[in-house]
Amino acid sequence: MKSRFEPILWPLLVAALFILFWHLAVVISGSHIFPRPTQVVAGMVELIKKGVLFKYIIASLFRVSAGFLLALCIGIPLGLLLGWFSRAFQAFNPAIQVLRPISPIAWIPVAILWFGVSDLAPIFLIFLASLFPIMTASIAAVQNIQVPYLRAAQNFGVTGMALFEKIIFPAALPQIITGVRIALGVAWLVVVAAEMIAVNSGLGYLIIDARNAGMRYDLVVAGMVLIGLIGLTLDFLIRRLERLEEIRWGFNQR
Amino acid sequence: MLKGMRIILCVLGGFLTITLLHLWLNIGFDQLGLTRGGKKETTFRVGYLPVTCHLTCPVTHWINKNMGGESIYEPVRFSGFPEVKEAFASGYLPGTFMLAPMAMALRQQGVPIKIVYLGHRDGTAIMVHKDSGIYSFKDLKGKTIAVPNRFSNQFLMIYKGLRDQGLSPKDVKILEMPPPDMPAALYTKSVDAISSGEPWMAKSEMEGYGRVLYQAKEIWPNFISCVLVVHERAIKENPEWVEKLVEGIGRSGKWLEVGTEHRMKTAETVAKDYYNQDPKLLRYVLSTPPDRVTYANLALLRKDFEEIEKLAIEAGIINGPVGFEEYTDTRFSDRLQVIKPYEWEGPQ
């Protein structure tokens, strides 16, 4: 019975210690600006009362899901292709590496020019941010397939689509999922920057607007906490995927 | 791969749920296609920032909604001038409030922008920390001053003030900073002086650590900060809307000037619904002193703008003369000869 509750107990203990430390730090430093944990909770309650909390969470989730899923649909196939066909990789990789380090914030003017001030602009930014980790992981996954598997498949006469379906894709899947997990984290991280563009809903918008509305730092931190908690949930969901047999083989988990 | 299919279906199902929820809660099914060519533009979007300079924008919308039930235009809130600039330049925002020198600079770069009306007069100050020993521009020598943007009349006002006392911008350190960050920067003494539109100046005063060094009117009488601009295409395609907009701004300006009671009512509602700010702050700005910011005399006058243009060229933020006729379209402001305030007593 002990081992069932332990996975929850330890993290809760760490969280409780952290909140205590936060409260003490604010009280001791006597800061007028940084909110205490109780003020943050009060801020969240205020948002719930105003009826906007759920709306904002849904708005951000929508934008992140749309951008992220788009990145999955384009990034994984593209990554697999580029990983397999080395000439294509040689041709396109430099361009990818040039685009990869450009921060989404730098893309904001382009996003506004192409997509205006609608939901499409943040979705585009999130798509860009998620695309590169997914593609990089997929390319590496294919390039790192153990040669013996491919040779064995050749010996059995497996080629073409069957080769892809039975050997290449399953072999690449563990590393692709790692890339997907990282990309989801990045996508959720970029939501604050992406919602700077004059959308009027969302957790990122909440943070930026609370700051513009004059020292509502309790709402700013409330937004941060919510983003963190949802990020935790999303990561948890992805890690459940990793427990599937098709993926677990690649990790040697204890 | 049945398991894989199941997972994919679950994910797609989840996404569909989130999308429908989002459409229902945040967008409303009737407003789909809010992009440029999406659907016929039955509302005219006007951008604003949550600053007192732009107050007539939400006030006009608020009064029109309460008096007539609907408004032909839709105020869109932005959080910074760079986004306003891009949204306007790409054609998604047919009208907006904007810094006057920024509008001139955009015109010079070829953007089809036209200034049609003013936003307000005065409503800016230079604040210093109350413990600093700074009492004049000479005391600012070698110090750091924060301005919202180099294309702002705050920067030009500081330039003018320095010049009039024999100094130049090289004697001070000018820092570009978003106005909402300025009160905190002054509080922690990371900058020595701040200048932007209200309510950020009043905020530092209200919270006890800021002191007014100069009000804008002391350096530059009848100071202009923000102006109402529209895209040339809007003037060509929908001149009657632009005319109604200008008239609306003029009438709400007059309405705000009728008396303190109107201003207090504005502070209560507009602060909360349109600005997401504490009403206390806006109440303070609109009343202490009563002429801290004025919304009358909003017509375009050549001499105001030529003065701004001259200072801007001198200060080096635009490369040469632009021409009053180039960046303004005075027909809407000229047609508004007698402005009567809206006849509405506010929410009862």
Side-chain angles (χ1 to χ4, degrees):
Chain A
M1 198 173 71
K2 191 173 171 204
S3 60
R4 251 221 332 202
F5 289 115
E6 258 193 54
I8 308 183
L9 225 54
W10 287 117
L12 273 182
L13 186 62
V14 170
L17 280 175
F18 175 73
I19 295 180
L20 184 64
F21 176 67
W22 170 6
H23 183 86
L24 287 174
V26 176
V27 167
I28 293 179
S29 70
S31 164
H32 287 286
I33 299 182
F34 203 83
R36 289 174 228 186
T38 40
Q39 290 171 311
V40 171
V41 174
M44 281 199 240
V45 170
E46 181 189 327
L47 289 171
I48 297 178
K49 281 215 201 118
K50 271 212 282 206
V52 294
L53 192 62
F54 188 61
K55 273 198 216 179
Y56 284 179
I57 294 180
I58 291 289
S60 292
L61 274 178
F62 167 69
R63 293 171 191 132
V64 170
S65 313
F68 179 70
L69 288 176
L70 198 61
L72 275 182
C73 296
I74 296 187
I76 295 184
L78 217 55
L80 292 172
L81 282 172
L82 287 177
W84 185 249
F85 296 109
S86 51
R87 233 172 278 170
F89 175 74
Q90 275 175 348
F92 285 105
N93 190 46
I96 296 174
Q97 297 311 321
V98 162
L99 290 173
R100 189 158 74 119
I102 301 178
S103 160
I105 299 185
W107 284 101
I108 287 181
V110 177
I112 297 183
L113 263 105
W114 286 348
F115 300 102
V117 291
S118 62
D119 268 335
L120 290 177
I123 292 177
F124 170 68
L125 291 179
I126 292 171
F127 161 74
L128 269 184
S130 334
L131 185 68
F132 295 108
I134 294 176
M135 264 200 347
T136 308
S138 309
I139 295 175
V142 173
Q143 287 177 336
N144 290 342
I145 295 181
Q146 311 272 35
V147 178
Y149 293 147
L150 296 172
R151 294 248 179 83
Q154 252 182 338
N155 282 344
F156 280 102
V158 183
T159 52
M161 263 324 276
L163 182 69
F164 175 77
E165 220 183 290
K166 296 225 158 26
I167 311 289
I168 298 182
F169 190 66
L173 207 50
Q175 205 166 347
I176 293 181
I177 294 290
T178 303
V180 165
R181 193 172 153 204
I182 295 178
L184 187 58
V186 171
W188 193 240
L189 185 141
V190 159
V191 79
V192 175
E195 290 181 351
M196 264 168 70
I197 312 181
V199 290
N200 56 5
S201 55
L203 292 172
Y205 164 80
L206 168 70
I207 292 179
I208 289 163
D209 198 56
R211 170 214 192 206
N212 280 344
M215 281 204 172
R216 288 306 306 264
Y217 293 108
D218 55 340
L219 291 180
V220 169
V221 179
M224 288 163 70
V225 169
L226 285 166
I227 289 183
L229 289 175
I230 297 180
L232 176 67
T233 314
L234 291 174
D235 191 64
F236 175 72
L237 290 173
I238 290 263
R239 279 194 308 150
R240 302 220 65 188
L241 265 186
E242 280 176 3
R243 291 223 211 106
L244 295 174
E245 267 174 27
E246 286 84 349
I247 308 200
R248 202 160 50 159
W249 72 270
F251 282 120
N252 282 334
Q253 277 179 355
R254 279 182 281 149
Chain B
M1 278 271 274
L2 272 163
K3 212 189 292 185
M5 279 280 97
R6 241 182 355 145
I7 296 179
I8 293 182
L9 281 172
C10 271
V11 168
L12 282 178
F15 178 57
L16 204 61
T17 318
I18 295 179
T19 308
L20 288 172
L21 276 172
H22 178 64
L23 285 174
W24 174 44
L25 291 172
N26 291 316
I27 298 188
F29 290 102
D30 52 317
Q31 287 206 51
L32 286 176
L34 212 55
T35 49
R36 186 173 17 185
K39 80 178 188 150
K40 187 156 122 23
E41 299 220 10
T42 51
T43 55
F44 186 83
R45 270 173 260 142
V46 180
Y48 71 98
L49 263 71
V51 292
T52 324
C53 307
H54 301 184
L55 193 61
T56 40
C57 182
V59 167
T60 313
H61 185 251
W62 178 49
I63 296 181
N64 272 306
K65 244 179 27 170
N66 278 291
M67 280 176 68
E70 256 323 309
S71 176
I72 54 146
Y73 78 99
E74 178 197 332
V76 180
R77 182 156 102 225
F78 283 81
S79 50
F81 281 115
E83 289 86 36
V84 169
K85 205 167 41 132
E86 269 122 35
F88 183 86
S90 61
Y92 284 99
L93 207 57
T96 178
F97 281 80
M98 189 187 275
L99 299 166
M102 186 179 271
M104 287 184 200
L106 281 177
R107 183 78 211 188
Q108 196 170 58
Q109 289 167 19
V111 177
I113 186 174
K114 286 280 188 189
I115 304 178
V116 293
Y117 213 47
L118 296 183
H120 68 107
R121 288 205 186 258
D122 309 317
T124 285
I126 305 180
M127 311 292 288
V128 292
H129 200 283
K130 68 173 180 358
D131 297 334
S132 71
I134 302 178
Y135 290 96
S136 78
F137 273 112
K138 290 218 172 69
D139 297 331
L140 281 174
K141 194 156 179 199
K143 304 268 199 265
T144 314
I145 313 179
V147 295
N149 195 295
R150 77 195 65 167
F151 293 108
S152 65
N153 270 356
Q154 281 79 17
F155 172 61
L156 291 181
M157 169 180 78
I158 292 174
Y159 175 83
K160 182 175 195 289
L162 288 169
R163 186 192 64 182
D164 292 342
Q165 288 198 12
L167 300 160
S168 93
K170 292 206 206 29
D171 294 320
V172 299
K173 271 201 294 262
I174 301 273
L175 199 62
E176 278 181 356
M177 185 185 279
D181 295 335
M182 287 190 190
L186 192 65
Y187 175 70
T188 54
K189 299 196 188 157
S190 346
V191 294
D192 300 297
I194 57 176
S195 178
S196 85
E198 298 290 0
W200 310 110
M201 304 294 100
K203 190 178 180 60
S204 64
E205 197 178 10
M206 229 173 85
E207 293 182 351
Y209 51 86
R211 169 171 50 87
V212 176
L213 180 62
Y214 293 107
Q215 290 273 11
K217 55 172 77 116
E218 297 174 59
I219 307 174
W220 193 340
N222 289 323
F223 178 81
I224 303 171
S225 168
C226 290
V227 292
L228 177 65
V229 301
V230 294
H231 204 276
E232 254 178 11
R233 196 179 61 205
I235 300 182
K236 219 171 13 175
E237 291 173 7
N238 298 313
E240 60 302 342
W241 283 357
V242 180
E243 192 173 336
K244 275 188 108 167
L245 177 61
V246 171
E247 188 190 333
I249 302 290
R251 294 187 75 183
S252 11
K254 269 289 170 74
W255 187 83
L256 285 166
E257 290 295 313
V258 164
T260 334
E261 203 194 313
H262 285 182
R263 291 184 165 211
M264 294 301 109
K265 291 203 170 126
T266 305
E268 271 316 308
T269 332
V270 173
K272 267 200 324 240
D273 296 341
Y274 292 88
Y275 277 16
N276 207 5
Q277 275 172 4
D278 188 354
K280 209 169 41 167
L281 188 57
L282 206 54
R283 272 202 294 265
Y284 186 84
V285 172
L286 291 176
S287 59
T288 322
D291 61 348
R292 198 181 191 115
V293 52
T294 55
Y295 297 101
N297 299 325
L298 301 181
L300 300 180
L301 294 173
R302 178 185 285 267
K303 68 172 172 53
D304 288 330
F305 284 93
E306 297 199 324
E307 198 178 346
I308 299 177
E309 209 183 319
K310 207 163 61 110
L311 269 175
I313 298 176
E314 233 183 271
I317 58 176
I318 57 179
N319 309 323
V322 191
F324 183 69
E325 290 78 17
E326 274 298 304
Y327 55 78
T328 60
D329 191 328
T330 52
R331 73 181 103 147
F332 304 100
S333 136
D334 291 340
R335 262 185 234 156
L336 217 51
Q337 287 306 331
V338 180
I339 308 176
K340 294 215 312 258
Y342 280 113
E343 291 183 15
W344 182 53
E345 284 314 307
Q348 297 311 326

